[in-house]
Amino acid sequence: MSQSTLNPSDRQSPPTEPGSSPLGSGLKQRHLSMIALGGVIGAGLFVGSGAGIAAAGPSIVIAYAASGILVMFVMRMLGEMSAANPASGSFSVHADRAIGPWAGFTAGWMFWTLLCVGVAIEAIGAAHIMTGWFPGTPSWVWVLAFMALFCGSNLAAVSHFGEFEFWFAALKIGAIALFLGLGVLAVTGLLPGTSSPGSANLLHDGGFLPNGMDGLLVGLLASVVAYGGLETVTIAAAESENPVKGVARAVKTTMWRIAIVYVGSMLVIVTLLPWNDPAVAEDGPYAATLDHLGIPAAGEIMNVVILIALLSAMNANIYGSSRMAYSLVARGQGPKALGKVSGGVPRRAVLASSGFGFVTVLLSYWYPDTLFAWLLNMVGGVILVVWGFIAVSQFVLRRRLEREAPEKLVVRMWGFPYLTWVALAGVVGVLALMVRGDDTRVQVLFTGGLTVALAVTGYVTQRRARSRDTA
């Protein structure tokens, strides 16, 4: 493609070809494959799904399936763009190219904030589990230990991050596979000591939709949050041996991973347990199901699995936030000091991202009901805004690629442009549903404020850059 065919925002974008980036390429295909598989299994699935089941009842299966379809569309669109132009900034770079630098700035720093706050939440959750196992130990000691561990691993070569995630993902996949295997045996009455419940728990106690559409909508919102984090694989792909192949393979397997892990496990849980069983919300649906099946020490087993999921998310979020910050700085949209790369790793960006995460942990202790709650509300709807940027970017870039470089369309969005519009409508629809609830309405307002503030800052930065270029 000749320079004359690029628009101004393209020329301001960082190099996206693997060979032209100072970042390393130490992630092997096995790392990327396992990150893609394990990334779909997060702590939100093991813990947050309990509240969704309590609200939606058996219809939680429909909620997870509906939001799963939306996520599949988003990942397919993101995969199409990332396979065509792999970049450590992923959707931020794509928004930069498609809409303008202000859009890349907004999407990138919003996602960075989300990941850093996520690190704090996960560190607090992991510390809570550890203090339960070791009574008398202060939680801050565990937070500090985990933050130091994963900051250190991310300061080293990217292959260290890949190895951590490989084994974390392997353990999570093994746990969910064992759970689903036991659950299917119990549902069919083949597990010793159990009898098949049939459709009793699905259709009794208020029916399949016990709390009506309002309950289903609560379950839908809970399921959307649980899917967050799948985007990291497209960030990691830029530092893999074969970015295009890696992204294509990861995205193409998204459908069956979501269907089996999320929808499949929800179906097993509500088939085996009454949806209104207090243990579902109090102990978590997975622990409650294992306890119902008579598995010894079910609660502790799930605590181990949840701890692994939390630590995996911490590791991935520090990695993802540091690469996003590096990409933004490389495009002149952040402090230049964070752009230094040594040994193929943006170490200053890692330290900044980890530092912000640790400060956020401190805020959670000092101001749990004020400042930390404000931060949580601020990032409550960020993932939906990011998905909106992805949909708009894919619509624009797909047209451009079809004209200028059709050979780069290794992954194609299904039913383009119709399903792109469906995905965008889905994002807007979920945000509209959030406005209906008192708690979620606050999140929409705070997230909207953050979006506007970053968009204005990004637009001013873009205008200044153009003024310098034309001067």
Side-chain angles (χ1 to χ4, degrees):
M1 186 163 36
S2 66
Q3 186 73 11
S4 62
T5 61
L6 296 171
N7 62 30
S9 65
D10 285 326
R11 288 193 289 271
Q12 294 171 17
S13 297
T16 57
E17 294 301 321
S20 62
S21 173
L23 294 179
S25 56
L27 291 180
K28 296 177 169 46
Q29 185 58 49
R30 67 180 179 90
H31 293 147
L32 206 60
S33 297
M34 200 60 82
I35 290 170
L37 287 169
V40 79
I41 306 171
L45 174 65
F46 294 117
V47 181
S49 55
I53 293 172
S59 67
I60 191 68
V61 177
I62 302 299
Y64 269 88
S67 56
I69 291 171
L70 173 60
V71 173
M72 283 191 286
F73 289 166
V74 171
M75 287 302 295
R76 189 76 182 187
M77 291 185 290
L78 183 55
E80 177 184 290
M81 295 183 290
S82 297
N85 289 294
S88 60
S90 187
F91 51 83
S92 173
V93 172
H94 307 322
D96 189 314
R97 291 177 174 275
I99 307 169
W102 71 268
F105 179 96
T106 304
W109 285 116
M110 286 186 76
F111 195 69
W112 182 84
T113 305
L114 172 65
L115 294 186
C116 289
V117 174
V119 168
I121 296 170
E122 289 135 12
I124 293 166
H128 178 73
I129 292 175
M130 296 303 293
T131 54
W133 289 341
F134 301 94
T137 57
S139 59
W140 68 265
V141 171
W142 296 109
V143 169
L144 181 60
F146 292 141
M147 290 295 297
L149 173 64
F150 294 116
C151 178
S153 71
N154 277 280
L155 285 172
V158 69
S159 58
H160 290 198
F161 160 76
E163 282 300 318
F164 266 110
E165 281 307 291
F166 179 86
W167 292 109
F168 279 145
L171 291 169
K172 289 189 293 182
I173 292 166
I176 203 74
L178 181 60
F179 174 84
L180 289 172
L182 291 172
V184 170
L185 290 176
V187 168
T188 56
L190 298 177
L191 188 69
T194 63
S195 57
S196 175
S199 61
N201 292 323
L202 294 173
L203 302 178
H204 297 170
D205 294 323
F208 188 75
L209 203 66
N211 292 321
M213 289 303 297
D214 287 340
L216 177 60
L217 295 179
V218 172
L220 179 65
L221 295 178
S223 64
V224 167
V225 174
Y227 283 119
L230 289 173
E231 306 81 7
T232 303
V233 70
T234 61
I235 296 175
E239 293 182 79
S240 66
E241 296 172 326
N242 191 331
V244 175
K245 180 181 177 181
V247 167
R249 182 178 297 177
V251 169
K252 288 177 180 178
T253 59
T254 298
M255 180 179 294
W256 67 262
R257 286 186 284 125
I258 288 176
I260 294 175
V261 173
Y262 281 92
V263 181
S265 59
M266 288 301 107
L267 182 58
V268 164
I269 290 167
V270 296
T271 301
L272 291 175
L273 288 179
W275 66 272
N276 51 7
D277 186 334
V280 171
E282 293 172 6
D283 303 331
Y286 291 83
T289 302
L290 291 176
D291 188 59
H292 173 76
L293 297 179
I295 305 300
E300 288 307 310
I301 291 172
M302 285 313 303
N303 273 339
V304 172
V305 175
I306 292 169
L307 177 65
I308 291 169
L310 287 167
L311 297 181
S312 173
M314 278 187 68
N315 190 35
N317 285 352
I318 291 175
Y319 170 82
S321 58
S322 65
R323 269 40 176 196
M324 183 61 72
Y326 162 76
S327 175
L328 287 161
V329 171
R331 285 174 278 152
Q333 297 177 351
K336 291 182 179 179
L338 301 183
K340 183 177 176 58
V341 175
S342 56
V345 177
R347 293 197 169 103
R348 292 181 182 179
V350 170
L351 289 171
S353 299
S354 302
F356 185 87
F358 190 72
V359 168
T360 308
V361 172
L362 297 177
L363 294 178
S364 73
Y365 289 118
W366 295 335
Y367 310 103
D369 300 320
T370 52
L371 189 55
F372 188 62
W374 180 80
L375 278 172
L376 290 176
N377 283 327
M378 187 172 64
V379 300
V382 161
I383 198 63
L384 289 164
V385 176
V386 168
W387 290 353
F389 275 116
I390 289 172
V392 174
S393 300
Q394 187 269 337
F395 184 84
V396 174
L397 292 180
R398 172 63 175 270
R399 298 291 196 196
R400 192 179 300 168
L401 283 170
E402 286 177 336
R403 291 194 311 268
E404 300 172 352
E407 71 280 0
K408 286 189 173 185
L409 287 170
V410 179
V411 177
R412 290 175 180 263
M413 174 59 180
W414 308 298
F416 179 81
Y418 307 108
L419 291 186
T420 297
W421 284 112
V422 169
L424 188 57
V427 169
V428 173
V430 174
L431 285 170
L433 293 176
M434 291 180 70
V435 173
R436 291 186 52 186
D438 293 335
D439 294 336
T440 50
R441 184 185 306 118
V442 173
Q443 293 179 12
V444 172
L445 293 175
F446 273 81
T447 300
L450 175 64
T451 304
V452 171
L454 287 174
V456 170
T457 304
Y459 182 74
V460 171
T461 303
Q462 175 181 320
R463 289 292 299 270
R464 287 177 178 173
R466 287 180 176 174
S467 297
R468 287 195 300 267
D469 290 342
T470 56

